[in-house]
Amino acid sequence: MTLPEPIHHRQRSFRLEAVVLRHNDWGEADRLIGLYTLEMGKLRALAKGVRKLRSRKAGHLEPFTRVNLLLARGRDLPLITQADTLEAYLPLREDLAGATYASYVVELLDRFTYEEGENRALFRLLVDTLARLCQDQDRDLVVRYYEIRLLDLVGFRPQLFQCVSCGAEIRPEDQYFSASLGGALCPRCGSHTEGAQPISLNALKHLRHFQRSNFQEATRARLNPALNRELENVVQHYMTYLLERGLNTPAFLRRLRKENPAS
Ligand SMILES: [Zn+2]
C-alpha cells in the first residue's frame, strides 16, 4: 500500500545508484543495508519491513547487486522506499566460486572505506570488477588487478619503483616487500629489515604492470597458479597489516595524503 505523500516529503527523497555491500537484520522486520553509492560513496540505509514475506524490495537488496534506490531522509538513517535492480550479476550467483570472488570484492571495498563522500573512480572499479568476473576472464587476474587498483584509490598505493628504505631504484632482480614501510625494498635493505618478505622479480613486475595499466593492458599478463599465489600472498599480507593496524581510519588517511601528496 502506498499512500500519497505530502509535497514536502517528496522533496526530501532522493535517488541513488548503489552496489549492496552487505545487510544486517535490524529489529523485528527491518534490515540495515550497507551500500556503496555512485553519488555519495559509502552509506548505510534502513529497509523497513524487508524481512516480511512478499516484500518487493527484498530481492533487490542482496549483496553485490547494483540497484537504483529511492530514499527518504529518516530520523537517523535514510530509508529505502524503492529498490530496482540494475544488474544482478547472475553468473556470479550460479556457482559457489563466483559468489566467493564477488563477496571478496565487496568485502574488501567495505573494509577499506568509510563514510567520507563520493569516490566515483572507486564505484566504477567496483562495478567494472563485478562485470569482469561475469565475463570470460581469468577471475584470479581480475581480482589481483582489483586489489592493486583499490589500494591506489583508497590511498595505500604501494611504492614499487624505489626502495622504501634507501630510495635506490628497484633493479631487475629478486627483492623484498615490507608491509609496514608500504613497498619494495632493495636486497641490501630487505635482508636486514624486520618483517620484510622476499618477492620474486616476476611477481614484482606484475604488481608494477597492474599499477600502471588499464584492465585491457593488464589482461596481457598470464598468471600461472604459483605466480597467482605469490601475488595473493604479498598483497594480502600488506592489506592485513593495514586493516589490523586500524590504518583505514579517516585521520590516518588524511595524514598519509598530506605526507605523500603525489601518491
Ligand atoms: Zn634499499
Side-chain angles (χ1 to χ4, degrees):
M1 181 173 68
T2 312
L3 292 171
E5 285 176 307
I7 190 78
H8 68 277
H9 272 169
R10 225 175 289 155
Q11 286 168 338
R12 288 161 70 212
S13 67
F14 52 105
R15 284 193 178 280
L16 292 176
E17 183 181 335
V19 173
V20 178
L21 301 179
R22 64 194 155 84
H23 53 55
N24 301 94
D25 289 350
W26 190 264
E28 290 290 303
D30 306 340
R31 260 186 187 149
L32 183 64
I33 314 288
L35 301 162
Y36 201 83
T37 71
L38 172 66
E39 298 87 349
M40 296 173 69
K42 196 170 185 175
L43 190 77
R44 285 170 307 158
L46 217 48
K48 288 204 163 280
V50 80
R51 277 153 63 207
K52 289 189 192 128
L53 282 174
R54 296 193 299 130
S55 163
R56 282 184 296 114
K57 276 177 289 192
H60 303 281
L61 295 172
E62 288 302 311
F64 61 87
T65 307
R66 187 158 69 92
V67 284
N68 215 327
L69 299 174
L70 185 64
L71 298 107
R73 297 195 194 286
R75 197 174 307 151
D76 301 310
L77 293 166
L79 305 174
I80 297 174
T81 54
Q82 197 186 314
D84 296 299
T85 298
L86 294 171
E87 181 55 75
Y89 305 107
L90 284 178
L92 299 178
R93 297 174 198 277
E94 285 161 2
D95 66 300
L96 184 61
T100 305
Y101 280 102
S103 301
Y104 173 71
V105 163
V106 295
E107 192 194 325
L108 211 55
L109 184 125
D110 194 19
R111 296 196 63 193
F112 271 102
T113 53
Y114 50 94
E115 296 180 27
E116 59 161 353
E118 65 163 358
N119 184 337
R120 287 180 179 236
L122 196 52
F123 181 86
R124 183 48 50 204
L125 176 69
L126 175 62
V127 298
D128 285 349
T129 301
L130 292 172
R132 286 165 192 156
L133 287 172
C134 293
Q135 294 157 1
D136 189 24
Q137 303 277 3
D138 175 355
R139 283 173 168 173
D140 287 317
L141 188 138
V142 170
V143 166
R144 300 286 86 82
Y145 179 76
Y146 169 73
E147 291 167 337
I148 290 295
R149 306 308 308 182
L150 175 81
L151 285 168
D152 210 343
L153 292 171
V154 298
F156 293 114
R157 181 188 180 99
Q159 167 58 264
L160 302 174
F161 294 88
Q162 277 110 35
C163 172
V164 286
S165 181
C166 73
E169 191 87 13
I170 290 293
R171 306 217 328 250
E173 54 190 336
D174 289 353
Q175 309 285 347
Y176 289 82
F177 187 90
S178 165
S180 57
L181 295 175
L185 287 162
C186 72
R188 211 147 38 93
C189 295
S191 57
H192 59 80
T193 298
E194 204 184 328
Q197 56 175 174
I199 178 172
S200 71
L201 172 64
N202 195 28
L204 189 65
K205 270 186 180 165
H206 280 78
L207 292 181
R208 289 177 172 198
H209 176 53
F210 293 164
Q211 206 173 53
R212 288 188 294 190
S213 308
N214 63 33
F215 183 71
Q216 205 55 43
E217 292 158 355
T219 56
R220 288 207 296 264
R222 290 285 168 268
L223 303 188
N224 63 49
L227 175 60
N228 178 54
R229 210 157 36 241
E230 185 180 3
L231 293 172
E232 184 179 27
N233 284 342
V234 169
V235 173
Q236 289 191 357
H237 171 70
Y238 179 46
M239 294 191 301
T240 303
Y241 170 82
L242 295 171
L243 293 169
E244 279 180 358
R245 293 287 300 268
L247 300 187
N248 58 334
T249 60
F252 178 82
L253 277 181
R254 276 195 295 274
R255 203 183 66 204
L256 190 85
R257 286 181 186 135
K258 211 153 57 183
E259 285 170 5
N260 306 292
S263 66

